[in-house]
Amino acid sequence: MPFHPKGDSMDGIELAPDALLDVSIRLGRTHVLAAAPTLVHVLVNTRPKTSPRRITAPVDIRLVVDVSGSMANAAKPDAPSKLEVVKGSIFELLAELTDRDSVLLSVFSTNGRLVVPQTRMTPDTRQRIQRAVETLHPEDNTNISAGLQLAVTPLVSRGALPRIILFTDGQSS
């Protein structure tokens, strides 16, 4: 694996040397006599990879979505609702995640609701999350802390980068 968490906690991530650099080693001479000690120069050439592999640590993403009544409104005339824009953004994000990542989905209006508990990303869970996101609809008032509390409660996966993404129009009631 190209990355290795240090220790038991997430103190940092080490990348394998070949992840970002092309390294070549060459002797300074074409012939070396085996019978006598010979000084040999070695040339080590390092260059950035022209197209480095995309290497990231696993991500533990907590999606917190505002489904209050104000999310039914469009941000501008003739545009989709704010909630529809959020749904599209979540679909794009899910397409980028790998099987090393995990996702949690909570929503809030008057109360918070855990829609998808923390789960590892697989093709099946990706579809399950997409179906859950498709069913979201605006309702009631805005209680941001109710959705956030559900997102911060579970422990973060070991070695994963924790991220909470809050989708809201910020119109608290």
Side-chain angles (χ1 to χ4, degrees):
M1 215 172 236
F3 68 91
H4 306 284
K6 295 179 185 176
D8 289 339
S9 66
M10 185 65 189
D11 296 329
I13 296 173
E14 272 181 46
L15 293 177
D18 66 342
L20 302 173
L21 296 174
D22 283 321
V23 179
S24 63
I25 301 172
R26 193 167 52 116
L27 288 175
R29 296 179 173 214
T30 56
H31 296 81
V32 178
L33 298 175
T38 307
L39 179 63
V40 177
H41 295 274
V42 176
L43 173 65
V44 178
N45 190 18
T46 60
R47 294 176 188 250
K49 287 216 183 250
T50 53
S51 58
R53 294 185 310 232
R54 183 175 172 200
I55 297 174
T56 60
V59 180
D60 187 338
I61 295 183
R62 312 312 176 71
L63 303 173
V64 182
V65 180
D66 182 347
V67 292
S68 65
S70 63
M71 294 295 283
N73 302 325
K76 57 184 179 181
D78 299 323
S81 73
K82 296 171 195 172
L83 186 57
E84 290 304 316
V85 172
V86 166
K87 289 178 181 183
S89 299
I90 291 174
F91 294 148
E92 287 181 34
L93 173 66
L94 292 174
E96 295 294 319
L97 300 178
T98 70
D99 62 354
R100 297 181 353 215
D101 303 322
S102 62
V103 173
L104 173 146
L105 173 63
S106 69
V107 299
F108 63 90
S109 58
T110 302
N111 298 304
R113 187 172 73 245
L114 187 61
V115 177
V116 177
Q118 183 179 9
T119 184
R120 179 83 49 201
M121 186 59 60
T122 66
D124 289 340
T125 58
R126 184 183 325 273
Q127 289 178 350
R128 191 174 109 222
I129 296 167
Q130 287 171 333
R131 284 193 303 272
V133 168
E134 287 171 355
T135 66
L136 298 179
H137 59 279
E139 55 190 53
D140 302 327
N141 299 314
T142 307
N143 182 354
I144 294 174
S145 62
L148 283 172
Q149 184 61 40
L150 293 168
V152 299
T153 303
L155 294 176
V156 174
S157 304
R158 183 172 172 214
L161 298 173
R163 298 289 182 258
I164 293 179
I165 303 174
L166 174 64
F167 296 95
T168 183
D169 61 2
Q171 295 181 18
S172 185
S173 45

